């Protein structure tokens, strides 16, 4: 299974925000994560609407991890960001001629759910914990003071 680009970017944003205690600007996030600014801004907006990021407007504004996001399940987050997509497009155009009696679709759904379930125990804090925290803190201009 492969995550869509927005989900990947969203996870990286949340991990970086979890490692840092200060506000992050959209420009800083885009540069640190090597992501186009316009795409990153859309992902930040989605995360903010889901209550995972807090935003501060103004000249000295930016985004930071929402207090409740630290304990958010990675599996639940990925389910939410990925939406109701299936591994195989059985109903595409043209529709698969095997769809009437095929067992593959059910097997792929079960495998997809097993993938998500294996990520359920991990939180955003877990994903940003050492040793990756050190790497996250080297991105951009931030340097840990303690």
């Amino acid at each position: 299974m492969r995550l869509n680009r927005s989900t990947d970017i969203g996870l990286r944003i949340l991990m970086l925000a979890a490692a840092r205690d200060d506000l992050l600007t959209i420009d800083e996030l885009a540069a640190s994560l090597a992501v186009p600014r316009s795409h990153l801004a859309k992902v930040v907006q989605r995360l903010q609407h889901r209550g995972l990021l807090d935003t501060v407007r103004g000249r000295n504004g930016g985004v930071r991890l929402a207090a409740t996001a630290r304990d958010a399940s990675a599996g639940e987050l990925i389910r939410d960001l990925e939406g109701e997509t299936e591994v195989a497009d059985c109903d595409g155009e043209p529709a698969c001629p095997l769809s009437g009696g095929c067992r593959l679709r059910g097997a792929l759904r079960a495998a997809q759910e097993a993938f998500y379930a294996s990520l359920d125990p991990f939180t955003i804090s877990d994903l940003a914990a050492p040793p990756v925290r050190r790497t996250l803190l080297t991105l951009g201009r931030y340097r840990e003071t303690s």
Side-chain angles (χ1 to χ4, degrees), residues 90 98-110:
C90 300
L98 303 175
S99 63
C102 183
R103 296 173 61 188
L104 178 61
R105 186 179 206 171
L108 290 174
R109 282 183 183 153

Side-chain angles (χ1 to χ4, degrees), residues 38-67:
S38 60
H39 195 82
L40 186 127
K42 291 176 190 175
V43 176
V44 164
Q45 187 176 36
R46 285 179 67 196
L47 296 173
Q48 188 264 330
H49 284 298
R50 285 175 168 77
L52 298 166
L53 289 178
D54 291 329
T55 57
V56 177
R57 295 179 151 251
R59 184 174 158 195
N60 294 318
V63 299
R64 68 175 148 245
L65 194 69

Side-chain angles (χ1 to χ4, degrees), residues 23-125:
L23 289 173
L24 299 151
T25 67
I26 298 297
D27 289 333
E28 184 179 7
L29 279 168
S32 296
L33 299 174
V35 174
R37 185 190 192 284
S38 60
H39 195 82
L40 186 127
K42 291 176 190 175
V43 176
V44 164
Q45 187 176 36
R46 285 179 67 196
L47 296 173
Q48 188 264 330
H49 284 298
R50 285 175 168 77
L52 298 166
L53 289 178
D54 291 329
T55 57
V56 177
R57 295 179 151 251
R59 184 174 158 195
N60 294 318
V63 299
R64 68 175 148 245
L65 194 69
T68 57
R70 290 193 181 281
D71 296 326
S73 162
E76 287 297 320
L77 176 61
I78 294 170
R79 277 184 195 89
D80 185 37
L81 293 174
E82 287 290 305
E84 295 294 321
T85 60
E86 292 194 40
V87 176
D89 185 14
C90 300
D91 298 324
E93 194 59 43
C96 177
L98 303 175
S99 63
C102 183
R103 296 173 61 188
L104 178 61
R105 186 179 206 171
L108 290 174
R109 282 183 183 153
Q112 182 178 29
E113 182 50 36
F115 172 77
Y116 293 143
S118 70
L119 294 167
D120 282 341
F122 296 96
T123 65
I124 297 304
S125 288

Side-chain angles (χ1 to χ4, degrees), residues 3-37:
L3 299 178
N4 70 47
R5 181 108 167 105
S6 294
T7 301
D8 177 39
I9 293 168
L11 289 168
R12 289 193 270 159
I13 291 168
L14 293 172
M15 289 170 62
L16 182 56
R20 303 239 327 231
D21 295 326
D22 57 340
L23 289 173
L24 299 151
T25 67
I26 298 297
D27 289 333
E28 184 179 7
L29 279 168
S32 296
L33 299 174
V35 174
R37 185 190 192 284

